[in-house]
Amino acid sequence: MGVLIVTGGSRGIGAAVCELAAERGYDVVVNFSGDPSPAEQVAERVRSRGAQALAFRADVSDERQVSALFEAAAELGPLAGLVNNAGVTGNTPGRLDEQTVETFRRVLDINVTGVFLCCREAVRRLSTRYGGPGGAIVNVSSIAARTGSAGEWVHYAASKAAVDTLSVGLAREVADEGVRVNVVSPGLIDTGLHVAAGLPDRLERLSPGIPLRRPGQPEEIAGAVLWLLSPEASYTVGSVLEIGGGR
Ligand code: NAP
């Protein structure tokens, strides 16, 4: 199957993607930027499924660290795909007029520049234009790109809209070079993101407004990501797949 790089693979949705990818036969690079222990634990769970795993620290917004991430992945084996999952809200929920420019820039840097840098590295390795074997990229956006997240994190929503547009454009650039690019756009998912953002009751508060009346689980996103990576999605290019329980 080859190697799958999952950015932000140490927790939440990314960790679920890493584990399911191992079950589907990928060797997995579990990227993270902070504490190594959750990433090491995910790597162990990947190995327990019979796959190779590497936990690798790299801030996706840093060009040199992204290069190092892809070089380390190459030592594991040939690259098959990339999941750009790392993303942050800025952890300062509130109206746009209450946000600092530092928060705005940091969120864009991780959520948008990070996707740009990782996509660029992946295309240079996967595209037939560069002699690569082809492959697939899945970028993790958010339905916030459509809703705008008023009162919570408009800056984050805007960054995810940028991810959608970047993905659709890139998908069309590289479709005939063996590389399929698609987006999974989750709704409210039960991960640590909400508590970290200082909104511990967010899942409970928003659940009644979701047609399914509950948050999604990371595994319910991982399944879609692995489908988009797979040959079953061979004609799926530049799609933005919303998974939000009907929201
Ligand atoms: P999470 O539990 O907070 O995990 C975020 C992951 O990203 C962690 O592994 C974190 O590891 C990593 N990360 C953060 N900054 C990074 C950086 N600069 N470089 C590399 N890795 C970095 O988040 P999640 O809820 O699983 O969300 C995953 C993705 O889904 C994000 O793109 C998010 O925007 C999107 N999403 C989530 C929801 C939701 O309701 N949870 C809804 C829609 C979309 P470190 O802490 O070690 O850096």
Side-chain angles (χ1 to χ4, degrees):
M1 290 286 283
V3 173
L4 183 69
I5 297 176
V6 182
T7 70
S10 59
R11 291 184 279 114
I13 293 168
V17 169
C18 290
E19 291 180 43
L20 189 59
E23 279 172 24
R24 301 282 164 87
Y26 289 99
D27 296 317
V28 183
V29 177
V30 184
N31 161 251
F32 65 100
S33 73
D35 178 7
S37 62
E40 291 294 353
Q41 286 168 22
V42 173
E44 260 321 301
R45 294 203 288 276
V46 166
R47 288 184 199 108
S48 74
R49 288 163 166 82
Q52 294 189 86
L54 172 69
F56 194 88
R57 181 191 267 136
D59 179 340
V60 292
S61 69
D62 184 296
E63 188 173 21
R64 264 188 289 182
Q65 292 183 42
V66 168
S67 294
L69 168 66
F70 278 77
E71 278 160 28
E75 286 178 24
L76 215 59
L79 188 67
L82 164 70
V83 180
N84 277 309
N85 163 80
V88 296
T89 64
N91 292 347
T92 54
R95 293 162 49 104
L96 182 143
D97 48 278
E98 294 163 352
Q99 300 299 329
T100 65
V101 72
E102 288 77 20
T103 296
F104 186 81
R105 288 198 170 120
R106 186 68 187 138
V107 168
L108 262 93
D109 222 16
I110 294 172
N111 295 5
V112 185
T113 311
V115 171
F116 158 73
L117 289 171
C118 292
C119 282
R120 191 179 66 176
E121 282 298 327
V123 167
R124 287 175 179 173
R125 286 169 165 79
L126 295 174
S127 165
T128 54
R129 179 189 176 100
Y130 294 94
I137 298 173
V138 175
N139 293 331
V140 180
S141 177
S142 168
I143 66 166
R146 169 168 56 76
T147 68
S149 297
E152 282 195 323
W153 37 56
V154 169
H155 51 290
Y156 168 80
S159 76
K160 293 301 192 178
V163 169
D164 289 356
T165 304
L166 180 154
S167 305
V168 170
L170 177 64
R172 292 175 179 173
E173 282 183 353
V174 299
D176 70 348
E177 299 169 12
V179 183
R180 287 184 308 100
V181 182
N182 288 287
V183 175
V184 165
S185 193
L188 186 72
I189 307 301
D190 185 2
T191 71
L193 176 144
H194 315 280
V195 172
L199 299 172
D201 66 339
R202 190 165 185 262
L203 295 175
E204 255 177 33
R205 186 166 43 82
L206 296 183
S207 287
I210 299 170
L212 275 184
R213 309 276 181 255
R214 66 168 178 87
Q217 292 303 313
E219 294 73 20
E220 294 177 292
I221 302 302
V225 171
L226 267 296
W227 175 72
L228 284 170
L229 290 170
S230 80
E232 287 183 5
S234 53
Y235 201 62
T236 310
V237 171
S239 292
V240 179
L241 177 55
E242 290 199 356
I243 304 176
R247 188 162 160 232

